[in-house]
Amino acid sequence: MRYRTRVTAPAALLGTMAALSVASPAHADPETGTPGPETLGDPVFPGLGNDGYRVLAYHLDLAYDATTRLVDATATLTLTTTQELSRLSLDALGLDVHEVLLDGVPAAREQAGEKLRITPAAPLAARTTATVTVTYTADPRAALAHTAWVPTPDGFAICPQPNTAHTVFPCNDHPSDKADFTIRITVPAGLKGVASGHLVSTEDLGDGRTAYCYRSREPIATEIVQITVGDYVIKDRQGPHGLPLRDVVPTARATALEPALALTPNLVSWIEQRLGAFPFETYGLLPCNSDASDAFDFTGLETQTLTLYKPNFLLQAEKSIGSHMMHELVHSYFGNSVSPATWSDLWLNEGHADFYGLLYRYERGWADSLGLTTMEARMKDTYARGDQWRKSSGPVAAPNEANLFDSQRYLGGVLVLYALRQQVGESVFSAIESTFLERFRNASASTDDYIAVASEVSGADQSGFLRDWLYGTRTPRMPGHPDWTVTPVSSALRQPQNRTDGHWHDNSATL
């Protein structure tokens, strides 16, 4: 789940966004070759991503200077071309680029808007592997049109979802192009660098600095990478079946946060009974070292293997946080292991996270924010709102950028899953879930993919049923509940929460 303040910067502060070019001897002319398309055609973010290649791996090498609070970095991308390319582009915003190498040779570059265009000396042939190395400096405190950086008093964390990873490193910033990550973070004495994946080496550089290197066992979508620097203590514990759990905790808050952190093993056990073995090498929480109101405008973000939180949220009693902790944990399956093929497929992430988060809440006997204590009661309430939400927020699987993270993707998505379970029965529904997760593990999947699995596993064509629920402008009848009614649109009804005044708002029913 992700909600972020959007701040539009004055033009004077956007110098790194201005177009610049560096000549390279005898570089190829993109007008006579085939420049790669500077989009992957996402229906919600049409300018995001770049076609013509796919990234196999990222190697990020970042060094944090505690005095200047700047990050000097080198990003090395190993990619494979899908067509001949006289020019390719990466998503990049707010990065002060110093040099670009293509297979070790300097390449001409141009920064235009949110694209870093790279022109090789000779066109790249189709179906070949190439290495792009970008050396740059980033300022985590820079005022940009949008940013993933979360500056803290002792360093930073990042929250890249949905479209801001490219303010941290140049990339093909779309969840359909997942890749392996190796992340090396160099920090001064007194600080630790931590990232998604598992720690593979710690190197004392002999000058008061330490370099920490992390590597992902499974591919990661750019929008859920985590990189953080701070005065942290690493708290290790064991999860079910020997799963290593690690929490990255501000040293001064470690004792106070321990009750919340200690909940994770039982949460993992509960979800493994329903969705299978945890899909990654480790899991844990990162209570970011800031509770400032403008630090980030969300509750939790499912960065892979290390969920980001505000510390104060986790200081509450278990019944106030357990359901939402389950929501973020479920994203390890729906959203991280299986990423959305496009941002229109977000309901697969958020609907599933709220579905299991609510089941966990009601099983524990905790009333929700409406005072309801069963899934059936909450779904009846949500069902009544169905037509109003479809009018004001569009169908569940047809969002736009303005309403992407509103309640229709969350509770509206839960209602679709509840309807499917009513239609096929609980055992078949569970089989659909497990088949979908297994088939698309470490990949991206679309709404059509989920519909196809539901039809295959249930032994009946579910496309008409699910498409009515996901794309229809009217709420279909609920299987098993012929008495449920939808409140007419003309009646006064609470609207789904939405992005207003430049902010993302928390819309999860698990809060």
Side-chain angles (χ1 to χ4, degrees), residues 227-279:
I227 307 168
T228 185
V229 169
D231 178 9
Y232 292 126
V233 58
I234 311 301
K235 305 190 75 169
D236 295 311
R237 69 191 81 225
Q238 186 168 300
H241 316 300
L243 174 70
L245 301 176
R246 57 99 190 244
D247 298 307
V248 180
V249 193
T251 301
R253 301 182 183 223
T255 299
L257 288 165
E258 178 58 24
L261 305 177
L263 299 174
T264 299
N266 286 336
L267 291 167
V268 175
S269 293
W270 189 92
I271 199 61
E272 283 194 333
Q273 293 171 18
R274 290 151 182 83
L275 298 180
F278 186 76

Side-chain angles (χ1 to χ4, degrees), residues 153-467:
D154 51 358
F156 63 83
I158 64 170
C159 51
Q161 194 185 80
N163 63 332
T164 62
H166 60 280
T167 65
V168 178
F169 57 97
C171 56
N172 202 22
D173 200 0
H174 195 271
S176 65
D177 194 12
K178 301 168 74 166
D180 295 331
F181 274 81
T182 301
I183 303 171
R184 185 174 187 264
I185 314 166
T186 300
V187 296
L191 300 180
K192 285 187 172 65
V194 187
S196 295
H198 61 283
L199 182 66
V200 294
S201 68
T202 301
E203 182 182 1
D204 184 346
L205 300 181
D207 57 359
R209 298 184 305 153
T210 303
Y212 299 90
C213 186
Y214 291 81
R215 186 170 300 141
S216 63
R217 190 184 68 186
E218 285 84 13
I220 308 178
T222 53
E223 50 105 5
I224 47 174
V225 172
Q226 183 55 254
I227 307 168
T228 185
V229 169
D231 178 9
Y232 292 126
V233 58
I234 311 301
K235 305 190 75 169
D236 295 311
R237 69 191 81 225
Q238 186 168 300
H241 316 300
L243 174 70
L245 301 176
R246 57 99 190 244
D247 298 307
V248 180
V249 193
T251 301
R253 301 182 183 223
T255 299
L257 288 165
E258 178 58 24
L261 305 177
L263 299 174
T264 299
N266 286 336
L267 291 167
V268 175
S269 293
W270 189 92
I271 199 61
E272 283 194 333
Q273 293 171 18
R274 290 151 182 83
L275 298 180
F278 186 76
F280 302 120
E281 64 267 46
T282 185
Y283 183 68
L285 305 188
L286 167 62
C288 185
N289 193 22
S290 178
D291 283 302
S293 59
D294 60 350
F296 44 87
D297 192 24
F298 63 93
T299 298
L301 176 64
E302 64 275 13
T303 44
Q304 192 157 308
T305 71
L306 193 60
T307 292
L308 181 68
Y309 272 108
K310 277 188 177 179
N312 278 351
F313 175 79
L314 296 173
L315 294 177
Q316 301 176 86
E318 180 184 1
K319 66 179 182 180
S320 298
I321 63 175
S323 180
H324 192 266
M325 289 177 69
M326 180 59 70
H327 172 111
E328 299 299 348
L329 175 59
V330 170
H331 277 314
S332 294
Y333 298 82
F334 292 96
N336 295 14
S337 180
V338 181
S339 297
T342 74
W343 284 107
S344 289
D345 303 307
L346 181 74
W347 79 274
L348 286 167
N349 299 17
E350 304 302 348
H352 277 100
D354 258 15
F355 181 85
Y356 290 100
L358 286 173
L359 285 178
Y360 183 74
R361 173 185 290 277
Y362 300 136
E363 184 178 295
R364 299 298 299 272
W366 301 329
D368 61 27
S369 60
L370 301 181
L372 304 175
T373 57
T374 67
M375 179 68 88
E376 183 173 325
R378 187 60 186 261
M379 290 299 95
K380 183 177 182 180
D381 178 88
T382 304
Y383 184 82
R385 306 173 193 271
D387 282 3
Q388 180 67 45
W389 285 11
R390 287 169 188 265
K391 180 180 180 181
S392 60
S393 187
V396 174
N400 56 42
E401 183 178 357
N403 63 32
L404 178 62
F405 287 98
D406 73 9
S407 294
Q408 182 72 310
R409 263 37 83 189
Y410 291 75
L411 266 175
V414 177
L415 192 66
V416 173
L417 297 172
Y418 180 85
L420 178 61
R421 191 177 69 169
Q422 290 289 112
Q423 173 82 347
V424 301
E426 190 164 348
S427 62
V428 174
F429 176 78
S430 295
I432 291 170
E433 299 281 88
S434 60
T435 300
F436 179 76
L437 289 172
E438 179 60 31
R439 184 165 299 172
F440 296 100
R441 180 171 180 168
N442 295 332
S444 299
S446 68
T447 297
D448 283 348
D449 290 326
Y450 188 81
I451 293 172
V453 169
S455 297
E456 174 190 329
V457 174
S458 68
D461 185 358
Q462 303 294 341
S463 58
F465 176 83
L466 283 172
R467 287 187 183 281

